[in-house]
Amino acid sequence: MNRRALPWILASLLLMLALVVLGMRVGSYDTDYALIGDALTHYNPQNPTHLVLVELRLPRIVLALLAGGGLAFSGYLMQAMVNNPLADPYLLGTASGASLGAIFCFSFLPSLTWGGFYLPPLFALAGALATTLVVVAVGTRRGQIIPAQLLLAGVAVGSLTTAVGGVFTFLSATQEKLRSVTFWAAGSFERAGWEVLPYPAVALAAALGLFVFLQKDLTILMLGEERAQGLGVDVARTRWLLLVTASVLTGCVVALCGPVGFVGLVVPHLTRWLLGVTGRANPLFCALLGGNFLLACDLLARLLYPPAGLPVGLVTALFGVPFFVYLLRNKGS
Amino acid sequence: MLHLSSRRLLKLLPLLWLPLACQPDKPKATEATEPAAATQPQTQQLRDDLGRQLTVPARPRRVLALAPSMTEMLYAVADTATIIARTQVCDYPAAVLRKHVVNSYPLDMEKLVALHPDVVFTVEGITSLDDAARLEKFGVPVYYQRFQSLDDVFRGMRDLGRILHRQSQARHLTDSLQAELAAITKVTPANQSRPRVLAITWQDPIYVYGQNTLFTDKIKVAGGQNAVTEKFAQPYPALTREYILKLNPDVLIGGSFGKLDSTFFKNYPELKRINAYQTRRVYGISGDLMERPGPRVVESVRELQKLVSNK
C-alpha cells in the first residue's frame, strides 16, 4: 500500500464508522448512543428497540455498504476490461435482465413466495445471469472477448429486455403492481436481513481478494490490449476473469437491492482521481468509497422522506450527478 | 309465522332501492308543474369534487363511469338504460357485464368518444386530468368524485341523482344505507377500546391504507381505528417494517392468517411480534367491498365490524 493511499483509506474507514453510527440513529424508534451500545453488546431479542436496531437497521447498513462496494468494484473491473471510462456494472445487461426477472414475478406470479422462498430476488438473479450469458455470447468470437462488440451487444440486449419488461408491465398493470415495479427498479435496502448478507459479502470478498493480486495485470490492461500482450499479460484470461467476477458480483447485488444506478460509474473515476490509475490499493479503496457513498445516499433517502425513504437509486443520481459534473469540469476525465 | 327482528329488517333495507333503480326514467307527477320544455335550459352547469366546472346536458341520456365503484353507483341511482358502457374491471352488478367495454387503462379514448356519452363519471386518481382534458376537447364532459369519508360516498350518490334527475332514487338509497349504518354504530359501544387496524394493500413494498382514505372512516364506524394515525402525502403510503413494529396493530387486514403466515410473515419474520400476529387477528377481506366506495359501502363496514368485534 503506497503512502498516497493510506490516509485516504483511513479517512474512508472513519467516514464509514460515522455513517454507520448515524445510520443506527435514523428510524421510527427513538434511540440514543447508550441504547445502541447496549443493543450491540447485550442483545435482547425481547426488547423491541434492540430487535429493530440489530435485526432491521444494522443489516440494512451492512447491505448498503456491501452493495455500494460491490457495484463500485464491478464498475472498476468493467472499465478495466473494456478499457472505456463509460463502462459501468450494467454494461452486460445485468440491470435490465434482473429487472425483467423481477417484473415477471410482480406481473404474473399469483404469489411472490413459493416453498418458503421469496421469488423476486431469485428471478432477478436468473434474469441477470441469463442476459449476461446472451450478451457474452454475442460479444465474443472464438472464445475471445471483443470489447467494442460486447459494449454494443450489452446495449442491444439491454434494450430488448427493457422492452420485454415493458410489455409484461403493460399487460398486467394494476396500480400496486406498477408501484412495485417502479419501486424495485429504483433500488431499495428495505428488505435487508442477516440471512441474505452472506451472498454479496462472499462475492465481494472473493473479488477483492482476487484482484488485489491481479492489480498489476489490470493496470497494464488499461494501457491497451497490444501493450498488455507485449508486457506478458494473458489478456484473454484476464478479461474472462474480470467478466465473470463483475457479473456474479453485480447479479448478487441487483437481485437483493434492485438496479441502483450511478455508483458503479462514478466511484471508480473518483478512486482514480484520488489515488491515481496504478494504485495497488485501488480495488479496496474503490469498494470502501462505493459502500460509503451508497450508505450516505440511503441515509439521506430515509431522512428526506420518512418512514419508507426515497428509492435509493434516485438519491444516488440526484446527488451523484452534480458531483460528477463538478469533478469533470474541474479535474477533467 | 315469520318473525323478523329489527336488525334483520334493516339488513333488507338496501334491497328497497333495487326496484326503484330499475324503473324507467319516466316523468314524475310533480314535474307537470314545471315550465314547458321549450323554456327549460338545455344544459346544466356543474362543479365537480375537484372544483372543475363543466357543462352537461340538462337530462343526460348516455352515461358511463370509468371506475367500478361509480358504475355500481350508476346502477343504484341511474336509469340503467342510460348506462351505455362499462370498463374492463366493472363486474357488479351482474347486469353490467352485458354492456360495451371501454378500456380504462390505458384509456380507449377513441371508443369512448365514439359512444358519444353525455357525461362520464370517474373517481379522483383513477382517470388522469390530462385524459379528462382531452375528452373534454372532444365534447365529453368528465365529472370527478372524491371519497374520503362515508358522508362523501352518500353525497356522491345524491350528486349523481341530482345530475341525472333521479333525486328520489338517490335519496331512498342514501336514506336506507344511512339507516343501516346508524344501526351498526348503535351496536358498537362508545366506550369500548378500539382495536388499531392496519390494512395492507401490497406486500413488497408494504403499502397500506393511510389516514386520508375512506378506510379510516369505515373502520371507525365499525368500532376500530386506523392504526396509521400519521397523515402522509400519499393516500396509500409505503411503510417500513420498523414503522409497522412501532404501530403494533391489534388487527391486520390483507389476507387470512394462513395465507399471510406463509407469505407476508415469511418474508418479514420480524413482524410476527405485532399484536395482530400474536393473537392471530389477521384477516382476509372482500377486495371489491374494501376498494369500492359505492352502494355496497355499508356491507363493507359490516364486514369490518365482524373482524373488529372478533365475531
Side-chain angles (χ1 to χ4, degrees), chain A residues 24 31 35-36 39 48-59:
Chain A
M24 290 292 277
T31 52
L35 199 56
I36 293 169
T49 314
H50 281 202
L51 183 93
V52 162
L53 287 168
V54 175
E55 296 294 332
L56 298 180
R57 287 190 199 172
L58 198 54

Side-chain angles (χ1 to χ4, degrees), chain B residues 229-259:
Chain B
T229 50
E230 191 177 344
K231 264 195 179 174
F232 295 98
Q234 292 171 317
Y236 302 91
L239 296 185
T240 57
R241 289 169 290 172
E242 184 175 333
Y243 195 89
I244 294 173
L245 275 174
K246 196 170 182 201
L247 289 181
N248 195 16
D250 303 309
V251 178
L252 185 76
I253 289 174
S256 65
F257 184 85
K259 188 183 164 194

Side-chain angles (χ1 to χ4, degrees), chain B residues 40-72:
Chain B
Q40 277 184 347
Q42 298 296 303
T43 59
Q44 50 180 324
Q45 300 294 319
L46 303 174
R47 183 188 285 270
D48 68 13
D49 289 1
L50 306 190
R52 298 162 64 256
Q53 287 199 328
L54 57 155
T55 306
V56 304
R59 286 181 177 272
R61 293 290 172 186
R62 298 178 64 77
V63 301
L64 72 101
L66 292 175
S69 55
M70 294 228 56
T71 296
E72 291 189 21

Side-chain angles (χ1 to χ4, degrees), chain B residues 153-165:
Chain B
V153 180
F154 300 133
R155 182 187 44 73
M157 292 182 209
R158 286 193 294 270
D159 284 348
L160 276 189
R162 180 172 48 78
I163 295 164
L164 301 175
H165 281 260

Side-chain angles (χ1 to χ4, degrees), chain B residues 26-233:
Chain B
K26 59 191 176 193
K28 307 286 175 304
T30 51
E31 287 178 4
T33 57
E34 289 176 4
T39 59
Q40 277 184 347
Q42 298 296 303
T43 59
Q44 50 180 324
Q45 300 294 319
L46 303 174
R47 183 188 285 270
D48 68 13
D49 289 1
L50 306 190
R52 298 162 64 256
Q53 287 199 328
L54 57 155
T55 306
V56 304
R59 286 181 177 272
R61 293 290 172 186
R62 298 178 64 77
V63 301
L64 72 101
L66 292 175
S69 55
M70 294 228 56
T71 296
E72 291 189 21
M73 274 196 194
L74 281 179
Y75 264 84
V77 173
D79 171 4
T80 55
T82 63
I83 304 169
I84 55 174
R86 66 175 176 108
T87 73
Q88 76 284 6
V89 280
C90 298
D91 56 4
Y92 189 90
V96 76
L97 298 173
R98 291 198 294 268
K99 301 283 181 182
H100 291 289
V101 176
V102 174
N103 219 55
S104 60
Y105 180 83
L107 184 60
D108 189 346
M109 191 80 65
E110 202 170 308
K111 189 163 185 181
L112 208 161
V113 172
L115 285 168
H116 297 296
D118 289 333
V119 58
V120 169
F121 295 98
T122 192
V123 179
E124 184 190 26
I126 298 280
T127 307
S128 76
L129 287 167
D130 187 45
D131 280 344
R134 285 182 67 201
L135 280 172
E136 273 155 23
K137 271 188 188 167
F138 289 112
V140 178
V142 181
Y143 188 94
Y144 279 88
Q145 293 205 326
R146 177 189 283 157
F147 307 113
Q148 289 188 341
S149 67
L150 288 163
D151 281 344
D152 285 344
V153 180
F154 300 133
R155 182 187 44 73
M157 292 182 209
R158 286 193 294 270
D159 284 348
L160 276 189
R162 180 172 48 78
I163 295 164
L164 301 175
H165 281 260
R166 304 275 289 184
Q167 288 96 327
S168 63
Q169 283 84 354
R171 201 180 52 251
H172 276 103
L173 173 63
T174 52
D175 284 353
S176 66
L177 289 174
Q178 282 174 312
E180 250 201 296
L181 207 59
I184 290 174
T185 315
K186 264 186 198 168
V187 175
T188 310
N191 57 355
Q192 182 189 323
S193 68
R194 292 174 172 273
R196 286 161 299 120
V197 185
L198 182 70
I200 59 173
T201 65
W202 195 250
Q203 295 189 13
D204 183 21
I206 307 169
Y207 285 119
V208 302
Y209 281 83
Q211 179 63 214
N212 45 343
T213 57
L214 179 60
F215 171 72
T216 300
D217 205 20
K218 285 200 295 187
I219 199 70
K220 192 175 160 191
V221 174
Q225 57 178 315
N226 191 347
V228 182
T229 50
E230 191 177 344
K231 264 195 179 174
F232 295 98

